[in-house]
Amino acid sequence: MNRDLDWIEELKAMVGPEFVLTDPMALLPYACDGYTLSQETPRAVVLPQETEQVANIVRILRREGIPFLARGAGTSLSGGATPVNGAVILHLSRMNRIWEIDPENRVVVVDPGVVNAVISRVLESHGHFYAPDPSSQQACTIGGNFAENSGGPHCLKYGVTLNHIVMAEVVTVEGDVMRLGNLAGEPEGIDWLGLIIGSEGTLVIATKLWLRMTPKPAASQTVLALFDDVAEASQAVSDIVAAGVIPAALEMMDRLAIYAVERGPYPVGYPEDVDAVLLIEVDGERHEVEETARRVEAVLQAHKVRAVRLAESEAERNRWWANRKTAFGAMGLISPQYYVQDGVIPRSRLPEALARIDTIARRYNIRIANVFHAGDGNLHPLLLYDGKDAAMVERVRKAGSEILAVCVELGGSITGEHGVGIEKRDDMIKQFGPGELAAQEAVKYAWDPVGLLNPGKLLPTAAVCHEAIPTPSTETGGN
C-alpha cells in the first residue's frame, strides 16, 4: 500500500480534491519564490480556506513526519518559501478575507492571504492606511510580511511590520491554535509577537492578523534631487537626517538603476548621464510639510546637486514613486536575470559601502545596480547575470556574499527586510557568534523539536557552523 495515497486522500477529503495539487506540472511553479538560484519541487501543495483546516493539515503532516511550510504570493527574495526536503506547501491564497475594520480602535482584522496594497485601498474611505509598503506591495500578502517582518520606503518614519501588528492567530507545529498579543498592542509577559514576527515561518503559521490602522496625514510632499556623484548623494542622505528631519521615505537609485526604470512603464525623464536620484517624502500637517520640505531643500542645495524639484501634482508624485517601486522588475529589461541582495549599514557609511560594492562588481566582472532605502541604510544591490552562464552565476553568488560581509564590517547586518531564508543561511556566521547561533537553535527546537516547519531556512547548516556552535558534548560533557 502506498502510504502517500493515504494522507493525500485525507487532505483531499478535507479541502476538496481540486485544492490538493500533486501533478508534477502543477507543482513546478512552487519550486522557488523570488529567489530563483535555488529550486526544489514540493511533494504536494494544499490550499486551505480556514484556520481549522490549516490546523488539521498540520496534524496530519506531523503524524506522517512530513515537513511543511506556508506560502503566500511567493514574492520572498531569500528562498523563504522554497520547499526543501520534500516539504508540502500550505498555500494560503484562499484565506484572503478582511474580517473587520474597527476605526475606533484603529485595528483591521485580515487573513494572511490578503494582498498588502488591498488593505490600504480598503482603509482609504476610513481615512487610514496600512503603513508598511514593500516594493512588491501590489502582489505580496500580509502573511508573508508577518513572516519576514517586511519593510518598505515608508518604514523610515512609520516602522516595519512588527510595529503594526497587535495580535495574531497562529497554528503551531503540533496543530494547536493560539492567539498571541492583544488589542491594546502591549506585551503581556513574554513578547511572543516580537519573537514570532520575522522568524521566517520557521516557528508558527499565521492564520489571522490584527493590524494597526494609521491615520492618513493631512498633507505630503515629495522632493526629487538629481546628483552627478553617488558619494555626494549619499552624504546628502546622512545630512538630511542629521538636520533633525525624519522623512516618511528617503530613497535612492544609482545610474544603472535609473537606466532600467526609464525603460519601464513609468518613465520620469531622468537625464541619461545623472549618477543618482534621491526621492524624499515628508508628511504631516500642511504647515509642517511645507516647512520640512524647505529644510530638505536647504540641505540638498548645500551639496553639489544638479537639480531639486518638488512634485507639482499628485499625478507627478505618483509617477515618481511608481518609477521607484518598479525598479526591481525593470531589471528584466536590461538583463536576463537579476539577484537582489539586502543588507543594512549605518547611514554615515553609505559612501564607503557603495564604493566597495562598485569594487566588488568590477572584480567579479558583473553589473550591479543600487536601489535602496537610503534613509535607514537598507541596501538593495541588484546583481545582473545570465543564468545560462554557470561561471557568471557562481561569480554572482560570491559577490553577493562579499557584499554582506562588507555590511557587517561597516557595523550593519546581513539582512534588512528580505530575511535569511536559503540565500543567506550560511552567511549567518558572518554576523553571529557560537553562543548567539546556539540560542537561536534552542528557540527553534523549543517551538519545533522535530524540525518539520519550514526546514532548511534561517539557521546555518551543520557543515557550515560545526565549529561555530559547540556540540552538547563539549558544553555539558553529555554523550
Side-chain angles (χ1 to χ4, degrees):
M1 178 180 289
N2 188 332
R3 285 278 297 173
D4 273 4
L5 290 179
D6 291 344
W7 61 264
I8 286 174
E9 290 305 315
E10 280 188 77
L11 296 180
K12 287 181 177 179
M14 184 195 312
V15 301
E18 68 272 33
F19 298 119
V20 179
L21 310 181
T22 56
D23 181 84
M25 292 302 294
L27 298 178
L28 280 179
Y30 297 92
C32 69
D33 52 22
Y35 177 66
T36 59
L37 288 174
S38 181
Q39 301 188 25
E40 187 171 331
T41 305
R43 186 179 304 194
V45 174
V46 190
L47 291 88
Q49 194 172 26
E50 59 187 18
T51 298
E52 193 55 38
Q53 287 184 348
V54 172
N56 286 332
I57 292 165
V58 167
R59 293 183 194 116
I60 291 169
L61 296 175
R62 178 178 170 80
R63 182 195 72 206
E64 300 293 326
I66 297 170
F68 55 91
L69 67 150
R71 177 185 170 116
T75 57
S76 168
L77 293 165
S78 62
T82 299
V84 299
N85 301 338
V88 169
I89 289 177
L90 281 73
H91 190 191
L92 306 184
S93 60
R94 296 176 68 212
M95 298 177 67
N96 56 11
R97 287 161 289 187
I98 295 178
W99 290 90
E100 182 183 1
I101 298 173
D102 181 359
E104 184 176 358
N105 291 304
R106 292 183 178 174
V107 170
V108 54
V109 186
V110 303
D111 273 347
V114 176
V115 172
N116 178 294
V118 169
I119 299 170
S120 284
R121 287 201 291 270
V122 170
L123 296 182
E124 189 168 4
S125 62
H126 297 272
H128 290 73
F129 71 110
Y130 179 67
D133 58 338
S135 294
S136 59
Q137 70 178 139
Q138 298 298 329
C140 67
T141 50
I142 200 68
N145 294 173
F146 175 92
E148 300 293 336
N149 194 22
S150 300
H154 286 86
C155 291
L156 173 60
K157 177 177 179 179
Y158 291 102
V160 294
T161 300
L162 174 65
N163 306 115
H164 295 272
I165 294 182
V166 299
M167 193 159 72
E169 179 182 83
V170 302
V171 173
T172 70
V173 73
E174 288 84 11
D176 296 328
V177 180
M178 300 172 58
R179 284 198 177 178
L180 308 176
N182 56 70
L183 290 178
E186 296 295 330
E188 297 170 336
I190 294 174
D191 181 8
W192 294 117
L193 283 179
L195 174 68
I196 298 299
I197 297 171
S199 60
E200 304 191 23
T202 63
L203 303 182
V204 297
I205 296 174
T207 55
K208 191 176 291 185
L209 297 165
W210 285 253
L211 313 178
R212 293 187 193 277
M213 296 167 53
T214 301
K216 291 188 70 174
S220 61
Q221 178 59 272
T222 300
V223 182
L224 182 152
L226 306 179
F227 284 84
D228 294 316
D229 181 70
V230 170
E232 191 76 15
S234 302
Q235 189 58 53
V237 169
S238 291
D239 290 349
I240 287 169
V241 179
V245 176
I246 304 297
L250 206 176
E251 301 288 294
M252 181 171 164
M253 296 186 290
D254 70 3
R255 181 182 286 208
L256 185 54
I258 295 164
Y259 176 80
V261 295
E262 284 300 290
R263 280 147 185 78
Y266 302 102
V268 170
Y270 294 130
E272 289 194 357
D273 62 341
V274 71
D275 253 21
V277 167
L278 289 185
L279 277 179
I280 307 105
E281 183 166 294
V282 294
D283 65 14
E285 296 301 321
R286 193 166 301 279
H287 68 280
E288 175 191 6
V289 167
E290 293 172 356
E291 172 59 25
T292 305
R294 282 195 293 268
R295 291 173 64 192
V296 169
E297 279 192 275
V299 173
L300 293 170
Q301 295 293 357
H303 289 267
K304 296 175 183 177
V305 63
R306 181 191 294 195
V308 179
R309 289 173 52 192
L310 271 66
E312 296 181 357
S313 66
E314 187 68 11
E316 183 171 51
R317 173 179 171 272
N318 288 339
R319 177 163 286 273
W320 289 357
W321 281 110
N323 174 279
R324 157 61 187 92
K325 288 207 166 190
T326 53
F328 286 10
M331 295 302 137
L333 299 171
I334 64 172
S335 175
Q337 278 122 344
Y338 65 93
Y339 165 39
V340 184
Q341 259 299 1
D342 166 53
V344 178
I345 57 163
R347 279 185 297 268
S348 60
R349 309 299 292 273
L350 269 173
E352 182 180 353
L354 292 177
R356 293 181 65 175
I357 289 171
D358 182 63
T359 298
I360 290 170
R362 294 175 187 275
R363 178 154 33 88
Y364 284 100
N365 190 28
I366 56 175
R367 294 183 297 164
I368 299 180
N370 289 286
V371 181
F372 52 97
H373 310 314
D376 51 13
N378 190 181
L379 303 178
H380 290 317
L382 297 120
L383 292 74
L384 311 185
Y385 70 98
D386 185 346
K388 296 177 182 177
D389 185 336
M392 178 178 280
V393 171
E394 185 59 27
R395 294 201 308 274
V396 163
R397 288 182 186 273
K398 290 180 177 178
S401 185
E402 282 196 27
I403 289 171
L404 296 181
V406 167
C407 290
V408 174
E409 184 182 331
L410 295 179
S413 166
I414 64 170
T415 183
E417 57 180 339
H418 294 175
V420 174
I422 296 172
E423 173 205 8
K424 302 171 191 170
R425 178 183 58 198
D426 294 339
D427 290 306
M428 288 280 277
I429 61 173
K430 290 181 171 65
Q431 184 166 350
F432 299 107
E436 295 163 314
L437 289 171
Q440 293 181 63
E441 288 275 12
V443 170
K444 169 65 172 172
Y445 181 82
W447 285 80
D448 181 17
V450 186
L452 292 180
L453 183 50
N454 206 9
K457 313 293 172 58
L458 186 59
L459 296 169
T461 58
V464 170
C465 66
H466 70 282
E467 294 180 357
I469 302 179
T471 63
S473 60
T474 59
E475 283 289 288
T476 65
N479 294 323

